[in-house]
Amino acid sequence: MKCRIDKSKCKIFLRFGKMPIANGFLKKNQFKKEYFFELNVGFNKKLSLFQLEKNPSPKKMFNENYPFYTASSKFMVSHFEKFSLWVKKYFSNNKKFKILEIGSNDGTFLKNFKKNYHVGIEPSKSVHKDAIKNNVNSENKFFNYKTIKKYIKKKIKFDIIVGSNVICHIPDQNALINNILKILRNNGLFVFEEPYLGSMYEKVSYDQIYDEHIYMFSATSIKKIYEKYGMKLIDAIPQKTHGGSMRYIVKNNINSKISKRLKKILFNEKLKNIDNFKGCIKFKKEVEKSKKRLREKILSIKSKKQKICGYGATSKSTTILNYCNINFKHIDCIFDTTPFKIGRYSPGTHIPILNHKLFKKKNYKNVFLFAWNHKQEIMKKEKKLKNINWFSHLN
Ligand code: TMP
């Protein structure tokens, strides 16, 4: 397979088999027409790039029904507030900075910048509508040349372009970077946060791999990619979001200095084989072990005639359930807070999604925590419930 960013080779090392759209929660009458694709993962040595072989078309994934709302997690709302303070501090000498966010979702981040010239670009209609309700200047579009043309014509340059959990969703990174360079001023910042390859390796959280995450970046890969475009990765800041993410700070000036923290992270990536193929092979073995362990755990609970439910119908759970062949025969239902998901079924494995309000009443004793990245927030909410066997594929 080919590297998606340059023409060098990329070697497939992990095959998950047939997968549906991770966020494709469906109605019963849609079961027969469900779309599946082969989820294969490869690694490109030259750019240290971890990527999917194929992905469904973005229109299949980010349509009017896209059910991910940033504001559904208090932790995420607070995270974006802190992130906005970080941006404001960086621009303390230029309070009138112009900001654009790629994939601005329901406006949770941008609503902190109402006094600034701000633009949000969001392709999913459902979340875009919420951004408008939040009084955020949101455009219901994909971030591409057609969308930014009006800014180029008006000679508007942004001081900072931001993206959170979206850059790894974009298949054509070359087009993305070329478009960014057209509207980012010299010395301007491109700052983005994405699930971090190093955290995924450490936790063996292979459920980070699904159709939307076309790339799983590391600091080494970002450094190499952006240097090709005359931009410099100047800093990287680890984040707790999404089970371990990295904030990358890329400056539109190749001659910029890099931080001590980034130097350490790059060194650590070498040490832990995050920048090379050895890390991939180790990870693959761990993933296979994790599958075996999880199946044994589920089958053992079922052999005692006990019931299991899920908590949090996450997009990530689609990879675990389909890869481990766990379905509605093993798990009765998944409780979730998202109105769009409630009453539907999980992609590929057809487990009913129920309103989280029913969780207490139903009294399940074995609970698969699919939303493990929100564990603290969830345990705080459910702390009154005793004697529950909470588990996930991570333990
Ligand atoms: P995410 O891992 O992609 O952020 O998805 C989290 C999912 O978990 C989302 O469908 C909402 C759901 N959820 C709950 O049901 N209860 C909660 O307390 C939280 C934080 C999330």
Side-chain angles (χ1 to χ4, degrees):
M1 112 195 197
K2 274 216 177 98
C3 172
R4 286 170 176 265
I5 294 184
D6 72 8
K7 292 205 168 91
S8 55
K9 267 192 192 155
C10 186
K11 201 166 160 186
I12 294 179
F13 66 93
L14 186 50
R15 295 173 193 273
F16 285 103
K18 282 211 169 354
M19 282 287 158
I21 301 282
N23 258 317
F25 294 87
L26 67 178
K27 294 181 185 156
K28 226 177 202 164
N29 63 8
Q30 294 170 316
F31 285 0
K32 279 194 185 144
K33 276 199 250 157
E34 198 170 4
Y35 171 88
F36 287 88
F37 73 105
E38 290 288 335
L39 181 61
N40 295 332
V41 187
F43 190 80
N44 167 262
K45 277 188 195 167
K46 199 171 144 202
L47 295 175
S48 299
L49 187 65
F50 187 107
Q51 65 164 62
L52 298 190
E53 182 194 28
K54 287 180 200 149
N55 61 281
S57 82
K59 283 193 177 134
K60 268 204 163 72
M61 300 186 277
F62 310 109
N63 50 38
E64 72 270 20
N65 290 330
Y66 188 62
F68 183 82
Y69 291 78
T70 306
S72 72
S73 161
K74 279 187 195 156
F75 175 73
M76 289 308 286
V77 173
S78 138
H79 170 78
F80 282 114
E81 222 174 279
K82 284 184 208 144
F83 187 3
S84 75
L85 293 176
W86 180 91
V87 171
K88 285 175 187 169
K89 194 172 163 200
Y90 184 90
F91 287 102
S92 53
N93 292 329
N94 166 24
K95 291 207 166 63
K96 286 192 174 159
F97 63 89
K98 295 187 179 78
I99 181 165
L100 179 140
E101 187 181 13
I102 303 173
S104 40
N105 199 273
D106 53 14
T108 296
F109 176 68
L110 276 185
K111 73 177 183 199
N112 298 297
F113 296 97
K114 281 188 190 154
K115 286 188 190 151
N116 290 73
Y117 180 88
H118 69 274
V119 176
I121 310 285
E122 174 50 57
S124 305
K125 207 173 192 167
S126 48
V127 284
H128 156 78
K129 278 187 192 161
D130 276 24
I132 296 291
K133 277 187 214 153
N134 273 330
N135 283 322
V136 162
N137 180 24
S138 170
E139 293 187 34
N140 185 207
K141 287 176 182 152
F142 278 98
F143 180 80
N144 54 28
Y145 183 66
K146 208 171 145 202
T147 302
I148 62 166
K149 228 163 140 183
K150 65 176 179 217
Y151 301 104
I152 300 171
K153 263 192 187 163
K154 287 188 205 161
K155 297 203 166 79
I156 292 174
K157 294 257 182 182
F158 291 88
D159 299 282
I160 175 166
I161 296 179
V162 177
S164 295
N165 310 305
V166 65
I167 301 309
C168 70
H169 294 182
I170 299 174
D172 190 344
Q173 295 282 310
N174 292 314
L176 166 79
I177 301 168
N178 276 320
N179 287 329
I180 284 172
L181 282 171
K182 287 189 175 81
I183 54 167
L184 182 65
R185 75 160 164 82
N186 287 339
N187 285 310
L189 295 186
F190 176 39
V191 182
F192 56 105
E193 292 186 356
E194 306 291 314
Y196 177 52
L197 183 65
S199 305
M200 185 178 81
Y201 278 1
E202 204 177 301
K203 297 192 170 80
V204 196
S205 47
Y206 66 86
D207 51 335
Q208 293 286 6
I209 303 171
Y210 56 90
D211 51 13
E212 292 175 22
H213 292 170
I214 298 172
Y215 304 93
M216 191 57 69
F217 295 121
S218 60
T220 313
S221 61
I222 294 299
K223 177 180 180 291
K224 288 180 179 174
I225 295 166
Y226 284 82
E227 276 176 5
K228 278 160 57 93
Y229 286 90
M231 295 168 91
K232 188 92 166 183
L233 176 66
I234 57 166
D235 201 358
I237 313 175
Q239 306 293 321
K240 289 201 174 111
T241 51
H242 293 281
S245 303
M246 192 65 87
R247 179 180 302 162
Y248 300 103
I249 296 119
V250 178
K251 198 165 176 179
N252 191 9
N253 178 352
I254 192 77
N255 298 317
S256 314
K257 272 194 179 161
I258 78 169
S259 74
K260 270 191 196 156
R261 173 171 43 207
L262 175 59
K263 280 183 191 158
K264 258 193 200 162
I265 291 173
L266 291 169
F267 178 77
N268 191 44
E269 290 188 353
K270 269 204 166 62
L271 203 71
K272 294 191 171 157
N273 293 317
I274 294 167
D275 68 337
N276 67 57
F277 202 70
K278 267 191 202 161
C280 299
I281 297 303
K282 183 164 176 253
F283 174 67
K284 173 197 162 88
K285 286 184 182 149
E286 292 298 328
V287 170
E288 287 166 353
K289 271 193 232 163
S290 167
K291 173 178 180 173
K292 193 165 171 267
R293 223 173 27 238
L294 180 66
R295 280 195 58 81
E296 280 167 7
K297 186 180 283 178
I298 300 255
L299 295 177
S300 147
I301 297 173
K302 296 310 286 178
S303 72
K304 290 182 219 146
K305 303 262 180 289
Q306 290 181 12
K307 289 182 167 188
I308 306 173
C309 76
Y311 196 114
T314 60
S315 29
K316 295 190 291 295
S317 66
T318 300
T319 299
I320 309 173
L321 293 167
N322 286 276
Y323 172 59
C324 297
N325 304 317
I326 298 166
N327 55 38
F328 63 92
K329 291 177 193 154
H330 309 94
I331 295 181
D332 296 359
C333 57
I334 305 174
F335 295 96
D336 197 279
T337 50
T338 318
F340 175 81
K341 294 180 187 175
I342 297 167
R344 292 183 177 240
Y345 293 81
S346 65
T349 52
H350 304 165
I351 304 169
I353 315 298
L354 303 186
N355 193 326
H356 78 291
K357 286 181 185 156
L358 298 171
F359 179 63
K360 279 187 189 119
K361 252 194 226 160
K362 297 274 181 181
N363 210 16
Y364 276 90
K365 291 298 170 210
N366 296 294
V367 185
F368 195 144
L369 182 61
F370 291 119
W372 56 268
N373 49 315
H374 299 284
K375 190 172 177 178
Q376 265 185 330
E377 185 170 345
I378 291 170
M379 290 305 147
K380 213 166 137 192
K381 228 181 344 191
E382 310 295 359
K383 68 178 172 221
K384 283 192 190 137
L385 302 177
K386 298 281 180 252
N387 300 323
I388 293 184
N389 169 28
W390 292 92
F391 67 95
S392 79
H393 67 307
L394 303 179
N395 52 33

